[in-house]
Amino acid sequence: MTRRIFFTAVVFSVAAFGVGAEKDWVKLEHCHLLPDPANDGDSFHVRANEKEYIFRLYLVDTPETDAADPARLIEQAKHFGISVPQVIELGEAAKLFVQEKLAEPFTVFTRMSDAMGRSKSERFYAFVQTKDGDLGEQLVANGLARVHGRSAKPPGITSSATESQKLKNLENQAKQARLGGWAAKIEQSNAPTASPAPPAASSPSTSKNERLFPAKFDINTATEKELRLIPGIGPVMARRIIDARPFRSADDLKKVNGIGDKKYEQIRQYFQ
């Protein structure tokens, strides 16, 4: 009997106080964007009520603004059908767009749900309302973000699925209107091409990478930023390659400390 009473009390406590239950929405008004080098299109520093926060938008993902995560860059490039360098340009455009939209006071709705991800600083998911409407919707409608990431039911909306569908509709409209990243895709597909040459023997991964990178890099002139766009080359390896110059050809990559047969096969295709 005692165990039954104890079990009932525990169930009541869980139901009443919500272990794992969703938190209530917190509304922060008159917010201001804080300049910070880490700000981008979907994650930024905000001042509200004399406190500083980092917020990450629900449901949308803007392109990266640097080459710190090559795998994610390639994923975003495949989504928009553009090259990796164009992804970074698009990420910078999204960042500037957000700066303009948040130049005036705005409102944040958040449940203070953890959105740290790769960030080392405390960051929370949020919806952001500007004078022109929801910021995530504006990014997608202008071809500056994809529908991707953590979902939630915005305040006043019946379900997260409703908002997701609205975003997908906005994305389709941006595609048809050739806005943002979708404009770059159209330009590539309409670019004049030479008469098709006989197909060369190549692996599926090689042809995929040729679509993502508009041209192969020169081993002796590629910048550190360009080298770090290449999957498998981080900041240390990029510096080693630069320090080992000049090369007679990219075939000499094997002479660089840390580039074995496997690494060489992975990165050689990106060079002339």
Side-chain angles (χ1 to χ4, degrees):
M1 184 67 172
T2 302
R3 289 183 178 179
R4 183 177 298 175
I5 293 173
F6 176 75
F7 177 75
T8 302
V10 170
V11 172
F12 175 80
S13 298
V14 171
F17 298 103
V19 174
E22 289 186 338
K23 302 175 184 177
D24 291 334
W25 287 106
V26 175
K27 183 178 182 181
L28 302 174
E29 298 183 283
H30 307 296
C31 298
H32 296 272
L33 179 69
L34 294 176
D36 191 278
N39 287 350
D40 58 23
D42 56 34
S43 180
F44 33 81
H45 291 241
V46 170
R47 179 171 294 280
N49 300 330
E50 303 305 317
K51 294 183 179 180
E52 182 176 344
Y53 303 90
I54 305 176
F55 290 116
R56 168 71 167 86
L57 295 177
Y58 279 112
L59 287 163
V60 302
D61 176 55
T62 59
E64 304 298 298
T65 56
D66 57 40
D69 190 346
R72 191 169 184 83
L73 280 170
I74 289 179
E75 178 187 320
Q76 292 169 337
K78 289 171 67 177
H79 179 83
F80 285 100
I82 59 179
S83 69
V84 168
Q86 285 175 315
V87 168
I88 294 179
E89 292 178 7
L90 188 61
E92 289 291 346
K95 179 178 178 179
L96 290 174
F97 179 89
V98 168
Q99 288 177 358
E100 293 175 2
K101 291 296 179 181
L102 301 187
E104 297 182 23
F106 53 92
T107 300
V108 171
F109 293 91
T110 180
R111 284 192 170 119
M112 296 298 181
S113 296
D114 177 24
M116 285 184 65
R118 299 188 308 276
S119 173
K120 296 180 180 179
S121 303
E122 191 174 41
R123 186 172 65 165
F124 306 104
Y125 282 107
F127 289 103
V128 172
Q129 284 288 325
T130 73
K131 63 181 180 62
D132 298 317
D134 181 82
L135 181 60
E137 292 177 2
Q138 294 173 65
L139 284 163
V140 173
N142 284 276
L144 298 173
R146 59 176 176 159
V147 184
H148 181 84
R150 177 77 172 269
S151 64
K153 181 179 70 173
I157 303 296
T158 56
S159 70
S160 59
T162 300
E163 180 65 13
S164 294
Q165 187 57 54
K166 181 178 181 180
L167 288 168
K168 290 175 182 176
N169 292 340
L170 290 172
E171 184 174 69
N172 288 332
Q173 292 170 19
K175 285 183 184 180
Q176 294 173 5
R178 304 181 183 182
L179 299 177
W182 307 114
K185 179 178 181 179
I186 297 299
E187 288 169 5
Q188 282 193 324
S189 64
N190 289 339
T193 57
S195 299
S202 61
S203 66
S205 60
T206 300
S207 60
K208 175 188 70 174
N209 290 326
E210 286 173 352
R211 292 196 301 270
L212 296 174
F213 289 79
K216 294 187 177 183
F217 297 112
D218 185 312
I219 187 63
N220 287 312
T221 62
T223 64
E224 181 176 350
K225 184 175 182 179
E226 288 173 330
L227 291 172
R228 290 178 60 183
L229 290 173
I230 298 172
I233 297 182
V236 173
M237 185 57 66
R239 179 45 53 187
R240 288 179 182 174
I241 291 172
I242 291 172
D243 290 343
R245 290 170 176 170
F247 297 92
R248 289 177 299 176
S249 74
D251 295 336
D252 290 338
L253 277 167
K254 285 185 178 180
K255 297 179 180 179
V256 177
N257 183 30
I259 298 183
D261 291 341
K262 185 175 181 180
K263 176 72 71 176
Y264 175 81
E265 291 298 327
Q266 180 185 5
I267 66 177
R268 179 62 181 87
Q269 61 187 298
Y270 296 97
F271 295 98
Q272 297 172 3

